[in-house]
Amino acid sequence: MKKDNIDLKIRKAMVDMSEDVQPSDDMFEKIKSQIEFEQSRKEKVVTMKRNRKMLKVASVACALMITTVGVYAGGKAVGYFGSSSSVYKYKEVPTIEQMEKETGIRKAFVDEFANGYKFDGAVIEDLNTTGSNGDTLDKTKAMNLVYKKDGSPEIFVDAHKKMPSEIALEEQNGYRNVEVNGTKLFVSTINMRFVPADHEKTAEEKQLEKEGKISISYGSDKVEDKKSVTVAWEKDGVRYSISSLSDEGMPEQTLIDMAEDLI
């Protein structure tokens, strides 16, 4: 809504109520400020929902780096599906007791990382694996924590109990290994291209996909190229990951150092 339209609608509404009553300048500005505040708040919520959806697609792509989709022996998953609210359930770092109640995991998370990233909020995600024919294999709940730092991309920390159908990180493609404090980390950077629903892949895009150099996801308003960086690891039957989505790509070492703060 443009500023001029806001002014016009306020004045028209007041004139319709009574031709004899005119708002003072102070009252007029107060009402206008409230409308503009509500409009701005709604726009931020829409942006937050969209960014979270994009990051979730990217982090799922990193979490399951399968280059050839097919049938896996023993009922192994070929895909993930996750859903969660865009509104934070936790505005303070969940306690160990809250973590255990929500996800069955006894784990404490940091309020602030050594590099200055601070906890912003957390949501509970319903997560499940799917088979080659789209059927649900396993279900679990994950804790998704968001960390922010001025001038830097958001960081997402996920934790969930490893499901029986999940393919072990060691068996997935596209990762490089780093060991930190005796724990093996799996590090990956993916070139993500988000495109509109009616987008038709070009010959170049098809070739890049075939070579594993790009992952294309539908649902964006326009064509956007992002880099998704993920560090994942498993410990005591729990799968953890730290992810970011940005134009240039977060340095992998930054996420490795953050993982070290949680191990």
Side-chain angles (χ1 to χ4, degrees):
M1 187 183 295
K2 294 182 178 179
K3 179 177 181 295
D4 293 343
N5 289 339
I6 293 175
D7 294 357
L8 180 62
K9 288 188 176 183
I10 294 173
R11 294 189 185 280
K12 184 178 184 303
M14 290 183 170
V15 170
D16 289 343
M17 289 173 62
S18 174
E19 294 182 357
D20 298 327
V21 178
Q22 293 294 325
S24 67
D25 290 341
D26 288 344
M27 181 184 293
F28 178 82
E29 290 301 324
K30 184 176 181 180
I31 296 172
K32 184 173 71 171
S33 296
Q34 184 64 27
I35 292 175
E36 290 175 339
F37 170 78
E38 288 299 321
Q39 177 191 357
S40 174
R41 183 182 64 81
K42 290 177 181 178
E43 288 175 350
K44 288 180 180 178
V45 169
V46 170
T47 300
M48 179 179 67
K49 286 181 179 179
R50 182 168 176 273
N51 288 344
R52 286 224 186 123
K53 181 179 179 182
M54 290 175 66
L55 190 280
K56 180 49 60 181
V57 170
S59 61
V60 165
C62 288
L64 196 64
M65 293 289 293
I66 298 175
T67 55
T68 304
V69 177
V71 179
Y72 288 81
K76 291 298 183 181
V78 298
Y80 278 98
F81 178 80
S83 62
S84 65
S85 170
S86 62
V87 179
Y88 290 145
K89 182 170 184 178
Y90 293 97
K91 294 184 179 181
E92 295 182 357
V93 177
T95 63
I96 293 179
E97 291 73 23
Q98 289 171 328
M99 272 293 301
E100 186 171 31
K101 180 181 178 181
E102 297 281 12
T103 66
I105 302 168
R106 287 190 62 82
K107 173 67 178 178
F109 290 90
V110 299
D111 183 66
E112 182 176 357
F113 284 93
N115 61 9
Y117 267 94
K118 296 181 179 180
F119 176 79
D120 190 67
V123 298
I124 305 301
E125 180 185 19
D126 292 312
L127 184 66
N128 67 267
T129 52
T130 57
S132 57
N133 60 356
D135 57 318
T136 298
L137 299 179
D138 291 302
K139 295 181 180 181
T140 192
K141 288 187 179 292
M143 181 71 76
N144 300 158
L145 304 95
V146 182
Y147 290 82
K148 293 185 178 181
K149 179 180 175 181
D150 288 344
S152 300
E154 292 182 344
I155 296 293
F156 290 74
V157 177
D158 292 5
H160 70 269
K161 280 190 172 181
K162 184 176 180 297
M163 293 175 279
S165 58
E166 286 187 88
I167 297 175
L169 292 171
E170 291 88 347
E171 300 176 19
Q172 298 178 27
N173 299 316
Y175 285 112
R176 70 180 182 90
N177 302 140
V178 178
E179 189 166 308
V180 173
N181 297 336
T183 298
K184 185 180 290 186
L185 304 182
F186 297 82
V187 186
S188 176
T189 297
I190 294 181
N191 294 312
M192 300 290 302
R193 176 164 293 175
F194 297 90
V195 299
D198 59 354
H199 178 80
E200 293 187 10
K201 295 180 184 178
T202 65
E204 180 185 11
E205 287 175 335
K206 292 178 180 178
Q207 183 61 33
L208 289 173
E209 273 194 313
K210 184 177 180 180
E211 296 172 358
K213 294 180 179 179
I214 193 173
S215 178
I216 295 177
S217 176
Y218 290 85
S220 178
D221 297 332
K222 59 183 179 180
V223 176
E224 295 180 83
D225 289 320
K226 303 282 185 180
K227 287 186 182 293
S228 175
V229 184
T230 295
V231 173
W233 70 97
E234 293 175 4
K235 189 173 183 179
D236 300 327
V238 180
R239 181 168 290 185
Y240 301 91
S241 69
I242 298 181
S243 304
S244 73
L245 184 69
S246 60
D247 293 335
E248 301 299 325
M250 178 75 69
E252 291 181 348
Q253 190 59 49
T254 298
L255 297 187
I256 291 172
D257 293 341
M258 294 175 75
E260 186 173 4
D261 287 349
L262 297 178
I263 295 173

